[in-house]
Amino acid sequence: MVGASRLWSRAALVTAVLAVAACAPRADLSLMNPPPPGSLLEAERFEVLAVTTRARQSPTANVFTTTRSLVPSHALFHIAAAQGRQPGVTQSAGHAPVIAVERQAIITSRQALLDHLAGSPRPRDISLFIHGFNLNFPEALMRTAQLSADEILRGQPLLFAWPSEARVQGYLHDRDSVIVSRDALVQLLVDLAGDARLGNVDVLAHSMGALLMVEAMRQLRLTGRGDVLDQLSVTLASPDIDLDVFAAQMAVIGPMRRPMKILVARDDRALILAGRLSGEARLGVLDVANPRVQKAAEAYNIAIIDISELRATDGLRHDRYAGLGSRGATRAQLRELRQAGAFGVTALGAIVSAPFDVLEGALALE
């Protein structure tokens, strides 16, 4: 009876997630087509490149499926982002595009990707975005474009798109897809760090994409590529990682040369539900007020920042990081933060050291 009760409880949680997730319209392939003539005359225009372990639907098109591919594909998208749009938004209330793909092209190889990055008119710094759970390819591309247009990604935007099944019921499938994609991400990081024509490599990984990034970092350390790790600046936003798993990963990775940043929120519904379903707390809901968290953060050269005070942009309160473009001062402070420890963002947007009250139940990362 106890087991049955737990199953019913978990089924109810899944139903709740589905109900909330269903409120938001899904992006579709229409966003990959050119916008109507004249609809985005006054727009910022830039490029987004993509590396993906999703299989192509056709060898001659940038249409990517949920099927896994062991051989990564590469693509180029010319983006138009309407001026004056609200930060964090990719479609208007009437679903008209405020960010759209005007042109696109297939990139044929890893070397061709690097050559294009090196010849980009933007600064040679690379801003790599790794998306999270339950996203299709157009959604991941539009999110990358939005983050770049809002200057959350400051360098040349590059998307690493792994084969999420793009449905809530595909959670376990997505976790396996992360592992399938790990080698491809490691190779990409090695390529970027090893090309003398390129500058800094900043990585922003969201949700389950954070698990993928930390797994890649662990593999780099185990294979003796600490030189690559030393060139990375890593931010994990709302990471969907089991605390014990993260502790084991960091025991291998060790302190990063550049402090790793972790954006957390106490009321992240997606991660709270994920923790209940798995039976284990997630990294993205750490309590920065706990002194044990502070101690672990300093030991591993990590800055843990609570962004709970920022306005949520989705019903699950899981995408707050995407709204940082509306808080320019906060965004700038996060970018310049070079100190390990635990911090909080105030309602006014200032980043301050967290109040370290002794609370029960937090799990140290040691």
Side-chain angles (χ1 to χ4, degrees), residues 76-356:
L76 167 65
F77 300 91
H78 295 267
I79 303 293
Q83 294 181 0
R85 64 178 183 81
Q86 182 180 350
V89 171
T90 58
Q91 297 184 71
S92 69
H95 306 310
V98 293
I99 297 179
V101 176
E102 292 190 310
R103 291 177 291 128
Q104 52 186 293
I106 292 173
I107 294 181
T108 56
S109 67
R110 286 165 45 202
Q111 188 59 51
L113 174 80
L114 294 172
D115 291 342
H116 191 93
L117 287 170
S120 170
R122 281 199 163 198
R124 299 298 183 266
D125 293 345
I126 306 301
S127 289
L128 176 64
F129 176 61
I130 307 170
H131 67 81
F133 160 67
N134 191 25
L135 261 69
N136 59 35
F137 185 84
E139 287 169 328
L141 178 64
M142 289 300 107
R143 178 62 77 197
T144 309
Q146 173 259 309
L147 293 170
S148 182
D150 290 348
E151 296 188 347
I152 297 170
L153 301 178
R154 289 295 298 273
Q156 169 60 51
L158 174 60
L159 166 66
F160 185 88
W162 51 277
S164 168
E165 203 171 47
R167 63 191 192 106
V168 174
Q169 302 94 321
Y171 187 83
L172 294 179
H173 171 277
D174 280 13
R175 288 182 67 84
D176 289 342
S177 291
V178 159
I179 303 304
V180 171
S181 302
R182 180 178 54 199
D183 289 350
L185 177 57
V186 167
Q187 184 62 64
L188 175 61
L189 294 171
V190 169
D191 288 346
L192 295 175
D195 194 317
R197 299 172 297 174
L198 304 178
N200 296 324
V201 180
D202 296 329
V203 183
L204 174 60
H206 177 237
S207 188
M208 199 176 286
L211 174 63
L212 172 55
M213 181 59 195
V214 181
E215 277 293 294
M217 292 163 63
R218 179 179 180 272
Q219 186 162 316
L220 285 167
R221 183 67 75 192
L222 287 172
T223 53
R225 295 310 307 264
D227 60 317
V228 176
L229 290 173
D230 286 346
Q231 296 184 59
L232 303 179
S233 294
V234 178
T235 300
L236 308 181
S238 308
D240 186 1
I241 307 177
D242 176 288
L243 282 175
D244 290 335
V245 170
F246 186 67
Q249 291 169 323
M250 291 308 300
V252 173
I253 297 167
M256 295 281 286
R257 186 171 72 85
R258 302 176 183 178
M260 182 163 61
K261 300 169 188 174
I262 302 178
L263 308 182
V264 303
R266 302 179 303 276
D267 61 348
D268 187 321
R269 291 176 177 174
L271 295 184
I272 291 170
L273 291 168
R276 290 177 182 173
L277 287 169
S278 67
E280 300 292 341
R282 318 315 283 172
L283 178 63
V285 292
L286 271 180
D287 189 344
V288 299
N290 193 294
R292 297 172 67 193
V293 172
Q294 160 78 0
K295 180 181 177 182
E298 292 179 345
Y300 286 109
N301 199 23
I302 297 172
I304 303 175
I305 304 108
D306 190 327
I307 60 172
S308 300
E309 295 296 327
L310 297 181
R311 183 179 64 86
T313 59
D314 67 318
L316 292 175
R317 303 171 183 167
H318 191 51
D319 288 347
R320 277 192 174 94
Y321 76 102
L324 284 170
S326 63
R327 308 297 292 268
T330 307
R331 184 184 64 221
Q333 278 188 289
L334 282 171
R335 189 177 299 123
E336 296 303 318
L337 186 61
R338 298 289 187 270
Q339 178 183 350
F343 305 86
V345 177
T346 69
L348 297 178
I351 298 177
V352 298
S353 294
F356 301 115

